[in-house]
Amino acid sequence: MHKLFFIPIFLAFFFSCNDGDIIITDFNFEPENLDNCGGPGAYVFFNINNSSTAESISLSLETNELLFLESGIQEFVLNGTSNTVNYRKYGADVTSGYFCSPIPPTEPNVVIEYLGESGIAKLTTEAIKDDEDGKEEDPMSDLDTDGDGLLNYFDEDDDGDNVPTVIELGTDFLNGDDEFPLDTDNDGIPDYLDDDDDGDGILTRYEDTNGDLDPTNDITDSTVGPDFLNENVANSNIIDQYRVHSFSLVSNISLLISNLLLVSGNEEIIQETMILGSKNDVINTTLSLTPEF
Ligand SMILES: [Ca+2]
Ligand SMILES: [Ca+2]
Ligand SMILES: [Ca+2]
Ligand SMILES: [Ca+2]
């Protein structure tokens, strides 16, 4: 049994086995070449190097978790069954289709294969969420004014009154003519954080006579505007329900495996730190959901 310790990551290694075979192990993976496919139950991450000898390192995770949605570090212990790593060398160049096809391809042929016997995969996710509601909000803040589970920086209705923040800030604030957002009742709490904007004692969310989760179209006196901004109209329609919220989500990841033990027959390779690389825009989408009241 040969134990080989490779600590530098991007160097080429040449070594002779006792039986005279020469094994060339490049591990020459560019960090920016990390790619992924699959989803819950069958995630695949891979890095391909076709520069000299075609080789790949890949990680399969059978976790049913929804990955990439939250910032943080997740660890997955390699177990050879549900969390697996493969290092392969091929007879010809390999493409992403090799890892992402529904039916495992037979080409190119695998010349050498090592299986990850043990190690810990560390997935670091940076999830950037933005409500694009016209108000600069600190993405490090855990402020959640309405307590609906969506933090203010990605909550497009910060006070949960069913009037979007972008409407409540006021056009003067949005176009830069006023440094302060609108405060209709002058109570010091701007409309976008005030759940009773006109200060008439009726929650804005309840000044929704037609009950369509949009208080902006319930207008008793058109010379004043919507009832939720008219202190002289106090119609109450109890609605304890939120409207649909949308926010953008962009996720970037990086992936490494620590204490990786690769085994092929009686050959072992130990990598203290195997960097699989990083990838931007693993998710780049708009999410819509209705917070639970
Ligand atoms: Ca919220
Ligand atoms: Ca609001
Ligand atoms: Ca106010
Ligand atoms: Ca009110």
Side-chain angles (χ1 to χ4, degrees):
M1 175 87 64
H2 309 290
K3 289 200 184 220
L4 304 160
F5 292 82
F6 294 162
I7 290 162
I9 299 149
F10 299 114
L11 296 180
F13 291 90
F14 300 82
F15 62 89
S16 251
C17 295
N18 291 340
D19 58 6
D21 288 346
I22 303 290
I23 298 175
I24 301 168
T25 306
D26 285 349
F27 288 124
N28 192 20
F29 299 106
E30 296 292 341
E32 64 268 24
N33 287 347
L34 177 68
D35 207 345
N36 75 298
C37 52
Y43 289 94
V44 184
F45 303 85
F46 54 94
N47 193 318
I48 293 170
N49 166 35
N50 287 326
S51 63
S52 48
T53 53
E55 60 179 346
S56 71
I57 182 101
S58 59
L59 167 70
S60 298
L61 299 177
E62 290 184 6
T63 178
N64 287 314
E65 277 182 72
L66 276 172
L67 302 180
F68 320 132
L69 296 183
E70 304 295 337
S71 292
I73 300 173
Q74 287 158 287
E75 295 193 350
F76 301 90
V77 176
L78 303 185
N79 53 21
T81 52
S82 57
N83 300 333
T84 57
V85 163
N86 295 76
Y87 169 78
R88 298 190 185 103
K89 288 170 74 74
Y90 305 89
D93 282 0
V94 64
T95 66
S96 61
Y98 184 88
F99 298 94
C100 300
S101 306
I103 301 162
T106 52
E107 296 288 326
N109 64 311
V110 176
V111 179
I112 297 171
E113 174 155 38
Y114 282 82
L115 300 175
E117 197 95 314
S118 62
I120 297 172
K122 292 182 184 174
L123 174 68
T124 303
T125 302
E126 178 195 32
I128 303 159
K129 300 174 186 176
D130 190 356
D131 52 20
E132 291 156 8
D133 66 2
K135 184 83 178 68
E136 287 289 323
E137 290 154 311
D138 180 5
M140 301 307 287
S141 165
D142 56 6
L143 207 62
D144 178 8
T145 300
D146 58 5
D148 67 352
L150 305 181
L151 303 182
N152 284 14
Y153 71 90
F154 65 95
D155 188 342
E156 65 180 3
D157 178 11
D158 293 291
D159 56 4
D161 65 0
N162 287 339
V163 182
T165 293
V166 71
I167 292 175
E168 298 207 85
L169 290 170
T171 48
D172 285 350
F173 177 81
L174 288 174
N175 61 27
D177 291 340
D178 195 336
E179 64 174 305
F180 298 108
L182 211 60
D183 178 9
T184 299
D185 58 6
N186 288 310
D187 66 351
I189 303 167
D191 288 5
Y192 82 102
L193 297 176
D194 193 340
D195 58 8
D196 175 11
D197 296 296
D198 54 8
D200 64 0
I202 308 295
L203 291 176
T204 292
R205 201 173 59 242
Y206 293 176
E207 299 206 52
D208 180 7
T209 306
N210 64 13
D212 66 350
L213 302 180
D214 180 8
T216 67
N217 60 14
D218 302 273
I219 303 167
T220 301
D221 181 348
S222 61
T223 62
V224 178
D227 296 351
F228 79 97
L229 298 176
N230 184 346
E231 60 180 339
N232 297 315
V233 176
N235 297 332
S236 181
N237 182 17
I238 294 176
I239 294 175
D240 288 329
Q241 198 183 331
Y242 293 124
R243 58 193 287 163
V244 175
H245 287 49
S246 297
F247 57 90
S248 68
L249 172 66
V250 175
S251 295
N252 306 322
I253 60 165
S254 61
L255 184 61
L256 66 81
I257 301 166
S258 60
N259 300 315
L260 174 61
L261 171 63
L262 291 166
V263 176
S264 176
N266 63 352
E267 300 289 340
E268 289 187 354
I269 300 172
I270 295 172
Q271 287 276 122
E272 204 171 86
T273 304
M274 179 77 216
I275 294 177
L276 268 73
S278 43
K279 183 183 176 186
N280 290 342
D281 291 1
V282 170
I283 294 180
N284 188 340
T285 190
T286 299
L287 291 182
S288 292
L289 55 88
T290 305
E292 265 185 61
F293 193 86

